[in-house]
Amino acid sequence: MLRTIAISSVLLPGLVAAQVAGAQSGQTSPPSYPSPWMEGGNGWDDAYAKAQAFVSQLSLLEKVNLTTGVGWEGEQCVGNTGSIPRLNFRGFCMQDSPLGVRFADLVSAFPAGINTAATWSRTLFNARGNAMGSEHRGKGVDVQLGPVSGPLGRVPEGGRNWEGFSPDPVLTGIAMAETIKGIQGAGVIACAKHYILNEQEHFRDKSSTSEASSSNMDDTTMHETYLWPFADAVKAGVGSVMCSYNQINNSYGCQNSYTLNHILKNELDFQGFVMSDWAAQHAGVASALAGLDMTMPGDQGFDSNTSYWGGNLTASILNGTIPQWRLDDMAVRIMSAYFKVGRDSARIPVNFDSWTTNTTGYLHALDPTRDVQVVNQHVNVQDDHAKLIRQIGQRSTVLLKNTNGALPLHMPGSVAVIGEDAHSNPGGPNNCSDRGCDIGTLAMGWGSGTANFPYLVAPVDALRAQAATDNSRFANYSNNYDLKSAQMTAANASVAIVFVNSDSGEGYITVDGNA
């Protein structure tokens, strides 16, 4: 009797949130001003006092430096703020991703958020966060750009659902909180993203010809479903929150005073800082007054050499358009997060470069006018994290149905492994930039939420080795489109194990016609 076992690597949750966003085209987001001052409390008192003392030393320009990125490819990390040379204070280093250190070597590729959530284990949520935080710390990163609760997963084809945890806001909230505790326990600032209602990749951002899509939502659904995990993140003491590309009720996420000032900083009493998603800032004064504290990567468009803040923020303070206290609050919030996680004692120099894998290169990739120097020290930060990764992989496997006792297998006479997803990418696991393809076995989606694999074991290799141990005849077939041959291969075996996957990712990459 032929037993067929289907194994699926799915990076698209098949559930939809119980409450669905409305689509009222005329819905608006009410204004809420002024932006609330940080006041300390709830575990922030010591960090707040240290931040006040630090910021009180700064000039206007130095405060602006803390808030404004130096531009895409301006320094070694994907995001970098200006420095304060007078105090020997290096600018902040922000680095993807929610599953590992992006654009770096000798790092781990941790299981995706959706896999981790499937373990239902607070212990593993926390351990994964702590391991990721320690790897970022070891590379000199100040802020890990994760974890993810936006998208929550309203639409299975949304694109980036796999970066987050679950469409269940309670499960996601617990996973967010434990991950944040783990990351920040390792001495790195966590960044809860993408706030809020960032539920699709199509039309997510403003273009030269059209505005970004607007997620229109009633206040009750916003609070009971989509805000819930961010509330848990704030309760866990998260140091930063990233505002999203999309509009919320027809107001851009990074200049929406209702979601930033009223909900996040007032209702939730968030004490950390709000940073923009990369090029998600669309105005200078409006975003500052609405509660944005840091602009990333700093330029209006990648490599544009123009900024809504920087010199423009300085001018707005001097001419009174933006009050001085708002800039002071930005700087204090940023430095409070720094002190809260102990960056003043855990910080080391950045020892990798996002823009080249070579040992030597230009310190400023966009402006290679200086001498070549060492930019990658190739520091191995993996420790023994492979054991944790394997444990999460085991615990996140879901058995949907075991018909007629097909499992467990016990030394079957013959085994057939069917499907491309069981096999390796012929070019290697990192062959496609930012994992922008679906070739071979699938272990993460595509986009900025990725990291390079140090290795990736294909299921066919492990099954072939086990079959040899069991003296089982072994056959495999990887062509997904020659179903007749696949059927023949399966028919000649006592057990057929069929591998399939469903991939998705971020909108700047198109894979097999899917943006």
Side-chain angles (χ1 to χ4, degrees):
M1 176 182 177
L2 172 65
R3 290 179 288 169
T4 301
I5 302 161
I7 298 180
S8 175
S9 300
V10 182
L11 294 178
L12 291 173
L15 300 174
V16 180
Q19 292 178 298
V20 179
Q24 301 95 323
S25 60
Q27 200 152 337
T28 60
S29 187
S32 180
Y33 300 99
S35 186
W37 272 88
M38 181 189 180
E39 297 178 334
N42 297 321
W44 286 83
D45 286 340
D46 184 57
Y48 180 49
K50 290 179 179 178
Q52 284 184 309
F54 182 88
V55 173
S56 68
Q57 308 173 72
L58 304 184
S59 68
L60 170 61
L61 297 182
E62 288 168 339
K63 294 172 188 175
V64 169
N65 266 12
L66 281 179
T67 69
T68 305
V70 299
W72 183 247
E73 299 180 299
E75 298 282 356
Q76 290 171 273
C77 305
V78 296
N80 309 265
T81 64
S83 60
I84 306 173
R86 180 175 63 85
L87 300 179
N88 196 30
F89 187 86
R90 183 194 84 204
F92 278 72
C93 164
M94 272 64 66
Q95 193 71 14
D96 296 308
S97 77
L99 58 68
V101 186
R102 185 186 181 203
F103 292 151
D105 61 359
L106 301 177
V107 298
S108 302
F110 289 85
I114 194 172
N115 283 90
T116 308
T119 69
W120 295 85
S121 170
R122 293 173 186 263
T123 301
L124 292 179
F125 297 163
N126 187 285
R128 173 178 174 268
N130 191 257
M132 292 193 299
S134 70
E135 295 203 7
H136 279 82
R137 184 191 66 223
K139 289 292 187 178
V141 175
D142 294 304
V143 182
Q144 178 182 348
L145 300 176
V148 172
S149 176
L152 182 64
R154 175 184 181 270
V155 183
E157 293 183 323
R160 301 180 73 177
N161 297 345
W162 62 275
E163 293 185 38
F165 297 101
S166 168
D168 182 335
V170 176
L171 174 56
T172 289
I174 292 169
M176 289 281 284
E178 292 300 327
T179 302
I180 288 161
K181 293 174 187 176
I183 292 170
Q184 297 193 164
V188 172
I189 301 168
C191 179
K193 65 181 191 179
H194 308 85
Y195 181 79
I196 189 169
L197 304 182
N198 184 42
E199 297 296 318
Q200 68 178 54
E201 287 301 286
H202 280 302
F203 315 116
R204 70 175 186 176
D205 200 8
K206 185 177 183 179
S207 70
S208 59
T209 58
S210 64
E211 302 293 336
S213 63
S214 179
S215 298
N216 296 336
M217 171 121 353
D218 66 274
D219 206 51
T220 299
T221 306
M222 170 95 78
H223 280 76
E224 293 182 354
T225 303
Y226 296 89
L227 184 64
W228 187 291
F230 287 103
D232 280 344
V234 171
K235 187 177 180 180
V238 69
S240 64
V241 168
M242 182 187 293
C243 53
S244 55
Y245 285 116
N246 56 287
Q247 298 184 76
I248 300 108
N249 293 331
N250 297 297
S251 175
Y252 277 102
C254 291
Q255 60 192 60
N256 188 310
S257 64
Y258 183 73
T259 57
L260 298 181
N261 285 342
H262 181 72
I263 296 180
L264 183 62
K265 291 185 175 181
N266 183 19
E267 288 187 356
L268 298 186
D269 196 27
F270 173 56
Q271 298 291 297
F273 66 96
V274 176
M275 77 166 74
S276 71
D277 204 339
W278 269 229
Q281 184 189 30
H282 299 300
V285 173
S287 60
L289 298 178
L292 183 67
D293 301 304
M294 179 187 289
T295 175
M296 281 289 125
D299 34 13
Q300 293 181 17
F302 287 3
D303 302 336
S304 68
N305 292 315
T306 59
S307 179
Y308 289 110
W309 281 5
N312 287 321
L313 180 56
T314 303
S316 296
I317 299 293
L318 290 174
N319 66 26
T321 308
I322 297 173
Q324 176 71 49
W325 64 260
R326 177 77 269 267
L327 176 62
D328 292 344
D329 185 56
M330 294 177 193
V332 169
R333 285 176 175 274
I334 292 167
M335 292 308 302
S336 290
Y338 176 89
F339 288 116
K340 180 174 174 58
V341 304
R343 290 302 296 157
D344 49 330
S345 59
R347 205 179 209 198
I348 64 172
V350 176
N351 55 46
F352 73 102
D353 192 277
S354 297
W355 319 115
T356 180
T357 57
N358 297 331
T359 300
T360 58
Y362 298 110
L363 182 62
H364 307 281
L366 184 61
D367 184 25
T369 58
R370 301 186 180 186
D371 293 337
V372 171
Q373 57 186 284
V374 174
V375 293
N376 277 312
Q377 298 179 31
H378 308 291
V379 177
N380 191 327
V381 295
Q382 296 173 80
D383 201 5
D384 62 350
H385 298 153
K387 296 178 182 177
L388 174 64
I389 290 167
R390 182 176 178 86
Q391 185 180 9
I392 295 172
Q394 292 169 330
R395 293 281 297 274
S396 68
T397 302
V398 178
L399 176 63
L400 296 180
K401 189 175 184 180
N402 191 14
T403 303
N404 299 324
L407 293 174
L409 298 180
H410 181 67
M411 303 177 67
S414 58
V415 177
V417 175
I418 310 295
E420 182 186 296
D421 185 59
H423 297 74
S424 296
N425 183 327
N430 302 314
N431 183 51
C432 301
S433 176
D434 287 342
R435 312 295 79 80
C437 61
D438 189 7
I439 302 171
T441 192
L442 181 66
M444 66 177 73
W446 71 78
S448 63
T450 55
N452 286 337
F453 291 105
Y455 61 89
L456 182 60
V457 179
V460 69
D461 297 329
L463 290 167
R464 182 185 287 110
Q466 186 63 47
T469 299
D470 295 341
N471 292 317
S472 302
R473 295 194 312 276
F474 185 84
N476 68 285
Y477 195 77
S478 63
N479 189 328
N480 283 350
Y481 302 98
D482 186 352
L483 298 183
K484 183 176 181 180
S485 296
Q487 289 170 340
M488 291 177 60
T489 303
N492 291 324
S494 54
V495 173
I497 308 177
V498 182
F499 287 79
V500 298
N501 73 47
S502 179
D503 200 2
S504 69
E506 195 169 354
Y508 69 90
I509 299 175
T510 297
V511 177
D512 297 336
N514 298 284

